[in-house]
Amino acid sequence: MLGLVDHDRVDLSNLQRQIMYREQDIGRYKVECARDQIVGLNSEVRISEYCEAIDKQNARRILDGYDVVVDCTDNRLTRYILNEICVEFKIPYIFSAIHQFDGQICTFNASVGPCYECLFPQAPPPGLIGNCSDSGVIGALPGVLGSLQAFEAIKFLLEETGNVVGRVISFDVRESKLNEFHFDKVEDCPCCGSISHSNRSEDIISRTALNACPMDSFAPTIKLAELIEMIESGDEFVLFDVRSKSEHAISNIGGRNIPLDELNPSDVASHSLNAKSVIFYCQSGIRSSRACKMLTDAGLSNVFSLSGGIANLEPAISALIAGS
């Protein structure tokens, strides 16, 4: 049984990246078009259509009975909901995300490894990351990531080894470069961890943007090459890791660890009196951008977010920064 979930209708802007549809499909529901395409390839495929958006009320009903979930959304709240139900049902959650020239894929399976919230414990602030329609994407990239997701699903169903559980594969099509980094299950993860959390779902909803906001909240960033140049030239700077304490304990590049929800501008200022620059970092650059924006709004200058975070830093580079 193959389940298709989408509440949307086909739009002209979809066609350059969503190759399931044609111009004659514009205005039709996507699940209907997808069903017709699949049945046209193999009339024996059994398909269930759910012409509705995933939310807290319907997620359990929709996902009940399926062996694996393949996430092709660009909505952050939906990802947290899917992850929560997949953890509850003990089924793999195959995630991918794309942005302009970049994509990433990972399989989350809390039965044997970390879940989505272990990697992304906090949703990014509204407007920090746009969806495909807002920010644009190279049309072939979703096809590449979608094929990789299909491989992951097939491997799981065939009980093959080698699934990317606890591993994020990122694909930079501009440089034709694949990167990989590993991450571990977080003991105090609010979703799959051993510590009980109350009102977890409501908290996710309260801090996750349901709709994209204007892309005007970007914070000043510093690239890795610029940071290395600062180290080599002897410039004075202060590092702050704004991830959780458990994430910092697993891996870090040094600096003072102040989780984003505990960050206080006066505390940062008191620890940065003689520094020319204050640099925040996190796993992917999202939380550090938010921290940077918070500090600039509070009147601090020369604050930067490490672009891309520490997810793809080579061990030698991490050691260089930590020892600076």
Side-chain angles (χ1 to χ4, degrees):
M1 173 68 73
L2 178 65
L4 303 175
V5 187
D6 201 320
H7 69 291
D8 203 4
R9 296 177 185 265
V10 178
D11 183 81
L12 179 62
S13 64
N14 302 144
L15 302 185
Q16 55 86 240
R17 66 184 184 277
Q18 299 177 14
I19 60 175
M20 182 75 75
Y21 315 119
R22 303 290 183 267
E23 284 188 353
Q24 58 265 33
D25 295 323
I26 293 174
R28 294 182 63 200
Y29 283 110
K30 290 182 176 180
V31 289
E32 296 177 352
C33 299
R35 174 205 60 203
D36 292 346
Q37 287 276 24
I38 295 168
V39 171
L41 291 170
N42 186 343
S43 59
E44 295 187 5
V45 176
R46 292 187 299 134
I47 299 175
S48 290
E49 304 159 43
Y50 305 89
C51 192
E52 50 191 308
I54 290 282
D55 57 34
K56 287 291 298 180
Q57 283 67 49
N58 64 20
R60 287 180 179 81
R61 168 178 57 82
I62 292 175
L63 300 188
D64 188 27
Y66 288 97
D67 297 310
V68 62
V69 170
V70 179
D71 172 18
C72 306
T73 69
D74 60 1
N75 182 291
R76 294 182 293 278
L77 175 59
T78 301
R79 291 170 182 161
Y80 282 99
I81 293 173
L82 289 174
N83 178 72
E84 178 184 354
I85 306 305
C86 286
V87 169
E88 179 182 330
F89 287 177
K90 296 181 171 57
I91 56 177
Y93 167 43
I94 302 174
F95 153 85
S96 75
I98 54 178
H99 180 72
Q100 296 183 346
F101 293 88
D102 301 289
Q104 57 183 212
I105 180 173
C106 181
T107 294
F108 302 100
N109 189 349
S111 298
V112 296
C115 77
Y116 179 84
E117 283 196 54
C118 292
L119 182 62
F120 299 110
Q122 289 187 322
L128 186 61
I129 298 178
N131 56 31
C132 294
S133 299
D134 297 328
S135 306
V137 64
I138 296 298
L141 183 59
V144 173
L145 272 295
S147 295
L148 291 175
Q149 284 182 288
F151 278 127
E152 285 295 295
I154 291 169
K155 286 190 294 183
F156 173 80
L157 294 172
L158 295 179
E159 298 183 347
E160 293 284 340
T161 59
N163 289 88
V164 289
V165 175
R167 300 156 54 203
V168 174
I169 309 296
S170 64
F171 186 26
D172 178 354
V173 296
R174 183 185 277 112
E175 300 293 336
S176 297
K177 184 178 180 181
L178 283 170
N179 293 299
E180 175 182 342
F181 74 90
H182 296 244
F183 63 102
D184 297 318
K185 193 179 188 75
V186 176
E187 181 181 356
D188 60 350
C189 171
C191 187
C192 73
S194 59
I195 300 175
S196 176
H197 297 263
S198 62
N199 299 321
R200 199 195 66 77
S201 300
E202 290 73 13
D203 180 57
I204 287 175
I205 293 174
S206 69
R207 57 186 168 82
T208 304
L210 296 179
N211 299 297
C213 297
M215 300 289 283
D216 60 357
S217 59
F218 284 102
T221 59
I222 183 170
K223 296 180 179 179
L224 175 61
E226 295 173 314
L227 178 55
I228 293 175
E229 184 177 334
M230 290 176 61
I231 295 171
E232 293 175 342
S233 62
D235 288 349
E236 292 291 333
F237 64 89
V238 176
L239 275 177
F240 287 94
D241 180 357
V242 294
R243 299 173 302 160
S244 67
K245 297 185 185 303
S246 57
E247 289 176 280
H248 182 82
I250 292 171
S251 65
N252 65 81
I253 58 172
R256 185 179 177 86
N257 177 214
I258 305 180
L260 181 61
D261 57 3
E262 300 176 13
L263 198 63
N264 184 296
S266 60
D267 191 24
V268 172
S270 66
H271 287 88
S272 313
L273 295 176
N274 299 317
K276 290 178 59 177
S277 304
V278 177
I279 300 171
F280 298 100
Y281 73 88
C282 64
Q283 194 71 15
S284 62
I286 294 173
R287 282 170 282 174
S288 58
S289 291
R290 186 175 183 182
C292 188
K293 183 72 163 50
M294 182 194 308
L295 270 294
T296 55
D297 288 347
L300 275 72
S301 59
N302 296 322
V303 293
F304 303 91
S305 166
L306 179 61
S307 179
I310 66 170
N312 293 318
L313 294 189
E314 297 292 339
I317 299 297
S318 298
L320 171 66
I321 299 173
S324 63

